[in-house]
Amino acid sequence: MNERIVQALEKHFEGNRYVFWRDVKGDLRNDFHEFCDSHPNIVCEEVNRNELGLKYRVLRSESEKKFLLYRAGEVSPEDNWLLDLELSTVVFSADKVDIWRDDIGINPAFRSIVENHQDFFTVQKRRDALKSKITTTEQTERTILQAMISVCAGAATDFSSVIYELLHEVAQGKTDRFDLIKKCSLTEAFWEWVRLETAYCASEPTLTDFLFELFKTCCDGIGFEGTLNQNAQILMSHWMDSAKYSSDFVTLSGNVSDKLNARSFR
């Protein structure tokens, strides 16, 4: 579980025998159980229509023990039968979004990125990968989103690496990595990145359409005129000469050549 939660709860128990944990969204229940498993000296109970019994245990029958009382959801003061106990101690609350943001090291100014792309952040492996890619001193919304895209693509953070990895999947007839970009609501940010780097614009952009535009722009003498910029030509040149990705170029150039009825692109 998140170390921030552990440290905060342990700090609260230094001066309190019982502590309430309020989890409005109910998405930290697993963290609650993990904390309980690692702290057998604390009695952990979930508040769920058992208020009177819990109050009796806390104040009378088990008054020498420490209690962590977890409640998921919201309750009005009028319906809160444990309100008097809450007012006499600490009520701990934590938001999953802020926990993720803080753990990765994302500046609080960019909290909305975490909020709007939660499908990305729910997986620990992706959070760890993002944490290793971003710095705390050079963060912008764009650099964070691009780092997230590179994680989904299984690539380094530079644009060419991301494109080469995605085209590698296209050459294999797969779409897993681009599907993950879509699932994590990063499609718009991805195509904006492509536009900024290569001047590619389309009303309905796709990797296949981008691939065709790349070949039409960068391969002279095939009877087509592309619209991409000089960066695209550099991208193509490095792709052709890459020891790792040149076989993908051969495969995809053949496919494009057949569909455009053009001679070999090599």
Side-chain angles (χ1 to χ4, degrees), residues 27 67 69 78 114 143 158 196 216 239 247:
D27 56 5
F67 280 83
L69 303 173
E78 295 80 8
V114 184
T143 60
D158 61 285
L196 291 172
K216 288 190 292 183
W239 187 28
S247 61

Side-chain angles (χ1 to χ4, degrees), residues 162-173:
V162 171
I163 292 298
Y164 296 154
E165 285 293 339
L166 293 177
L167 292 180
H168 175 67
E169 279 209 326
V170 173
Q172 294 180 318

Side-chain angles (χ1 to χ4, degrees), residues 164 235-246 249 266:
Y164 296 154
L235 183 74
M236 173 73 90
S237 176
H238 290 171
W239 187 28
M240 292 170 57
D241 297 332
S242 168
K244 182 177 181 180
Y245 299 108
S246 59
F249 172 83
R266 188 73 183 188

Side-chain angles (χ1 to χ4, degrees), residues 50-117:
N50 55 352
E51 288 88 343
L52 294 180
L54 287 176
K55 180 178 287 190
Y56 182 79
R57 290 174 62 191
V58 172
L59 298 180
R60 294 294 185 88
S61 64
E62 300 175 57
S63 59
E64 76 287 355
K65 297 180 180 179
K66 293 183 177 181
F67 280 83
L68 176 60
L69 303 173
Y70 171 89
R71 187 198 296 273
E74 296 185 271
V75 61
S76 66
E78 295 80 8
D79 296 326
N80 187 357
W81 290 73
L82 297 176
L83 181 60
D84 55 335
L85 293 187
E86 289 187 8
L87 294 174
S88 67
T89 188
V90 172
V91 178
F92 170 74
S93 64
D95 183 274
K96 199 80 169 179
V97 169
D98 283 324
I99 290 172
W100 290 336
R101 181 198 57 72
D102 184 67
D103 182 58
I104 295 168
I106 295 175
N107 190 293
F110 304 115
R111 184 186 187 279
S112 61
I113 294 177
V114 184
E115 180 73 41
N116 295 333
H117 302 276

Side-chain angles (χ1 to χ4, degrees), residues 15-236:
N16 299 278
R17 186 173 64 83
Y18 51 91
V19 173
F20 285 86
W21 183 342
R22 183 180 299 157
D23 182 13
V24 175
K25 294 183 179 180
D27 56 5
L28 293 173
R29 183 176 276 105
N30 288 339
D31 295 88
F32 164 69
H33 289 303
E34 289 181 20
F35 180 86
C36 297
D37 290 342
S38 62
H39 294 75
N41 60 314
I42 298 175
V43 178
C44 299
E45 296 288 351
E46 181 167 356
V47 180
N48 186 14
R49 299 182 180 180
N50 55 352
E51 288 88 343
L52 294 180
L54 287 176
K55 180 178 287 190
Y56 182 79
R57 290 174 62 191
V58 172
L59 298 180
R60 294 294 185 88
S61 64
E62 300 175 57
S63 59
E64 76 287 355
K65 297 180 180 179
K66 293 183 177 181
F67 280 83
L68 176 60
L69 303 173
Y70 171 89
R71 187 198 296 273
E74 296 185 271
V75 61
S76 66
E78 295 80 8
D79 296 326
N80 187 357
W81 290 73
L82 297 176
L83 181 60
D84 55 335
L85 293 187
E86 289 187 8
L87 294 174
S88 67
T89 188
V90 172
V91 178
F92 170 74
S93 64
D95 183 274
K96 199 80 169 179
V97 169
D98 283 324
I99 290 172
W100 290 336
R101 181 198 57 72
D102 184 67
D103 182 58
I104 295 168
I106 295 175
N107 190 293
F110 304 115
R111 184 186 187 279
S112 61
I113 294 177
V114 184
E115 180 73 41
N116 295 333
H117 302 276
Q118 294 192 37
D119 281 334
F120 177 95
F121 292 95
T122 54
V123 177
Q124 180 71 51
K125 184 178 180 180
R126 290 200 287 269
R127 298 199 301 271
D128 291 342
L130 180 62
K131 186 175 183 177
S132 69
K133 288 176 178 288
I134 65 172
T135 67
T136 57
T137 56
E138 299 179 358
Q139 290 183 14
T140 66
E141 180 178 8
R142 181 174 297 164
T143 60
I144 295 171
L145 290 173
Q146 290 175 354
M148 291 166 62
I149 291 168
S150 72
V151 170
C152 292
T157 52
D158 61 285
F159 175 74
S160 59
S161 295
V162 171
I163 292 298
Y164 296 154
E165 285 293 339
L166 293 177
L167 292 180
H168 175 67
E169 279 209 326
V170 173
Q172 294 180 318
K174 300 178 181 179
T175 60
D176 294 351
R177 292 178 176 179
F178 195 73
D179 288 344
L180 182 58
I181 290 174
K182 292 180 181 179
K183 179 182 178 181
C184 295
S185 303
L186 291 165
T187 310
E188 182 178 348
F190 170 75
W191 289 119
E192 174 63 10
W193 195 5
V194 175
R195 184 190 68 79
L196 291 172
E197 293 287 343
T198 68
Y200 170 74
C201 292
S203 57
E204 296 182 5
T206 66
L207 282 174
T208 300
D209 184 64
F210 171 71
L211 180 66
F212 273 64
E213 197 64 32
L214 186 63
F215 277 102
K216 288 190 292 183
T217 298
C218 301
C219 298
D220 296 331
I222 62 173
F224 298 94
E225 183 177 349
T227 60
L228 306 187
N229 61 19
Q230 183 68 30
N231 288 341
Q233 296 180 10
I234 297 172
L235 183 74
M236 173 73 90

